[in-house]
Amino acid sequence: MLHGEYRQTRLPDKPHERVAMSNSPVVDNRADVGDAELSEISDGVFAYVQPDGTWWINNTGFVVADDRVVAIDSCATEKRSRRLLSTIDNVTKKPVRTLINTHHHGDHTHGNFVFRDATVIAHDACRKALITEGLPHTAPVAGSGAWGEREWGTIHLAPPFVTFTDSVNVYADDLLCEVRHLGMPAHTTNDAVVWIPERKVLFAGDLLFNGGTPFLLAGSLRGALAVVGRLKQFDAEVIVPGHGPVGGPEIIDEVLDYLRFVQEVAQRAHTAGLTPLQAARGAELGRFAALSDSERLVGNLHRAYSELDGSPMGASLDVRAALHDMVTFNGGRPLTCLA
């Protein structure tokens, strides 16, 4: 029997009907977003989905082998990461020997240190970015005050110590897990996906958000359009996004539609001489208004403008200035974060 602060479900048999995309708007100041949900999406392959998938509340997963566990990402806070580790322990007493980071952002890496005996694997640029960004109280995003005070816990920096440039294969017994970088910056400079071809399962990291606004401030709009489009080559039936419910290939098209929307807004507003904040305030979100964290449009426009000005994909931006504009767009209130 499973115990702990999560719910276990098994998804229906028809892959494309497994989880409908969430289109409900997210409201500030929610007191309780519910427990994490553990789903066995294929035999021995689990998705750990943390509601409500907004700022710093990510998804993870793990694969249970005969004598070990392969885990995919940790969580933002010490408490959430220890809760994840406890969940794995309640499913199996086998040790987590491998931890794959899909990118460097703290909601996917701050908890690496709780996986004491695991080999931590990620893209080479993930290690560099994580070391540069540092602990949450010293990182520019935390120092901006955009989310107010957070209870991170006692976090120790634990960057990946096995890295790759293009791809690396990880095996859970004979089950192949392909860890791939798709060639260019997108959500960040160091995104990786975990593809399990035998099961047609894809862990997409933050290349995909389901029900939430995609975010490109640390990556590239041009690169994201290409990389997210390349996700279709996997022909996945089950996709675990970095945030939001598990779904199918329809998530890819939803994200691509949003990215094209950002591109169109950026091109018109940049030509008109508007700032990213002005452009976001004047944009008609349409169906994208239903996505959580709509203020990310401002950060996405900062990134799009830099590329329109000729900066290379993934070039450094003034993160604090962009976050300040996002808070302003949000009515001067700190951004919603229940981590």
Side-chain angles (χ1 to χ4, degrees):
M1 179 177 293
L2 300 176
H3 306 281
E5 297 183 61
Y6 61 88
R7 300 188 304 278
Q8 186 188 33
T9 62
R10 189 173 185 99
L11 299 178
D13 291 333
K14 295 182 180 180
H16 299 304
E17 297 178 3
R18 293 185 174 188
V19 178
M21 184 161 181
S22 171
N23 288 314
S24 300
V26 175
V27 181
D28 287 345
N29 301 321
R30 289 147 296 166
D32 182 14
V33 293
D35 298 333
E37 182 176 283
L38 183 69
S39 299
E40 189 170 14
I41 54 179
S42 183
D43 187 23
V45 181
F46 294 84
Y48 183 81
V49 175
Q50 298 189 97
D52 59 358
T54 51
W55 289 109
W56 297 94
I57 303 177
N58 68 314
N59 297 334
T60 73
F62 57 96
V63 182
V64 179
D66 284 344
D67 62 349
R68 67 190 61 210
V69 173
V70 176
I72 302 163
D73 282 334
S74 57
C75 303
T77 67
E78 180 183 11
K79 181 178 179 180
R80 285 181 176 271
S81 295
R82 292 197 184 283
R83 195 176 286 172
L84 166 62
L85 189 59
S86 177
T87 298
I88 297 172
D89 188 60
N90 284 325
V91 171
T92 176
K93 297 303 180 185
K94 296 159 189 171
V96 178
R97 294 297 191 199
T98 307
L99 173 64
I100 300 165
N101 287 152
T102 60
H103 61 291
H104 77 280
H105 281 160
D107 51 338
H108 298 259
T109 60
H110 280 168
N112 283 0
F113 73 97
V114 307
F115 295 87
R116 296 174 181 270
D117 299 320
T119 298
V120 187
I121 299 174
H123 188 267
D124 185 58
C126 175
R127 174 180 170 82
K128 296 174 184 175
L130 183 54
I131 292 171
T132 299
E133 191 163 288
L135 294 169
H137 65 280
T138 61
V141 291
S144 70
W147 296 276
E149 294 298 322
R150 306 264 39 98
E151 293 186 8
W152 303 109
T154 304
I155 294 173
H156 308 286
L157 195 65
F161 53 90
V162 174
T163 64
F164 64 92
T165 53
D166 299 314
S167 66
V168 63
N169 291 337
V170 175
Y171 285 87
D173 298 329
D174 293 328
L175 185 64
L176 171 62
C177 303
E178 300 178 4
V179 188
R180 295 195 199 175
H181 175 66
L182 296 182
M184 61 184 68
H187 173 65
T188 68
T189 60
N190 53 86
D191 304 296
V193 301
V194 181
W195 168 236
I196 308 177
E198 184 178 322
R199 307 294 179 79
K200 291 189 174 293
V201 170
L202 179 68
F203 287 86
D206 282 5
L207 293 174
L208 296 179
F209 289 72
N210 189 4
T213 303
F215 195 44
L216 309 171
L217 186 60
S220 167
L221 173 58
R222 190 166 78 247
L225 281 162
V227 168
V228 173
R230 290 174 188 172
L231 295 179
K232 292 188 175 186
Q233 74 187 20
F234 295 109
D235 196 26
E237 294 180 354
V238 182
I239 295 177
V240 183
H243 298 258
V246 176
E250 71 282 349
I251 305 175
I252 299 173
D253 288 323
E254 290 287 342
V255 171
L256 284 172
D257 284 350
Y258 177 80
L259 297 178
R260 295 185 189 107
F261 162 74
V262 174
Q263 186 179 53
E264 291 169 3
V265 171
Q267 289 172 341
R268 289 197 305 268
H270 187 269
T271 300
L274 301 178
T275 67
L277 178 58
Q278 291 170 333
R281 282 175 161 169
E284 292 291 338
L285 291 176
R287 66 189 177 97
F288 302 119
L291 301 177
S292 65
D293 307 312
S294 59
E295 69 278 353
R296 290 177 185 165
L297 174 60
V298 186
N300 294 338
L301 289 171
H302 272 264
R303 173 56 62 185
Y305 272 39
S306 76
E307 294 179 358
L308 289 170
D309 288 336
S311 296
M313 293 185 291
S316 296
L317 299 182
D318 188 337
V319 173
R320 292 194 185 208
L323 287 172
H324 179 270
D325 280 355
M326 291 163 63
V327 170
T328 302
F329 182 88
N330 199 44
R333 300 182 304 274
L335 308 182
T336 300
C337 178
L338 300 174

